[in-house]
């Protein structure tokens, strides 16, 4: 197929299958957990809603695994996963949303 000069074909992404999502979440969880323990945060390109959703699930899983609050922040290009602040008794539910909620 030919394209007009300077025109690029539109990038078409194939959505992950349910099995691929499960495998990706499991595999990325160990990598993210290692990076959080070593560096305190993990940043990855997540420029589609599907990738943001995947890495938010990873953040929840890592929080459960490490038994620590984990938060994630996405801006449309990247998602950052980091340790959240420990909640003070009596103040639960206030402040930043954690990935465990």
């Amino acid at each position: 197929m030919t394209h007009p000069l300077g025109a690029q074909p539109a990038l078409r992404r194939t959505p992950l299958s349910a099995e691929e999502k499960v495998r990706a979440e499991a595999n990325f969880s160990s990598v993210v957990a290692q990076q959080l323990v070593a560096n305190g945060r993990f940043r990855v390109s997540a420029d589609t809603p599907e990738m943001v959703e995947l890495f938010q699930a990873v953040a929840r899983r890592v929080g459960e695994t490490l038994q620590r609050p984990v938060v994630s922040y996405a801006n449309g290009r990247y998602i950052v996963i980091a340790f959240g602040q420990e909640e003070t008794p009596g103040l639960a539910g206030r402040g930043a949303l954690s990935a465990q909620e």
Side-chain angles (χ1 to χ4, degrees):
M1 175 194 276
T2 61
H3 299 280
L5 290 176
Q8 295 291 323
L11 180 64
R12 293 190 306 163
R13 297 180 185 191
T14 304
L16 296 174
S17 69
E19 180 183 335
E20 289 170 327
K21 286 179 186 179
V22 169
R23 284 194 337 249
E25 184 180 328
N27 291 329
F28 281 124
S29 293
S30 62
V31 172
V32 172
Q34 290 172 1
Q35 287 295 309
L36 284 183
V37 169
N39 302 317
R41 73 182 204 123
F42 177 83
R43 184 178 103 157
V44 66
S45 176
D47 58 353
T48 65
E50 181 182 36
M51 289 293 104
V52 171
E53 182 180 310
L54 171 66
F55 280 102
Q56 285 175 335
V58 167
R60 282 190 293 277
R61 188 176 194 155
V62 168
E64 291 167 1
T65 300
L66 298 178
Q67 297 181 344
R68 290 186 61 184
V70 173
V71 295
S72 60
Y73 305 93
N75 68 3
R77 292 183 61 198
Y78 299 100
I79 186 166
V80 175
I81 301 171
F83 286 121
Q85 294 196 3
E86 299 288 334
E87 292 185 1
T88 305
L91 296 178
R94 297 183 184 172
L97 293 177
S98 76
Q100 293 178 333
E101 293 178 351

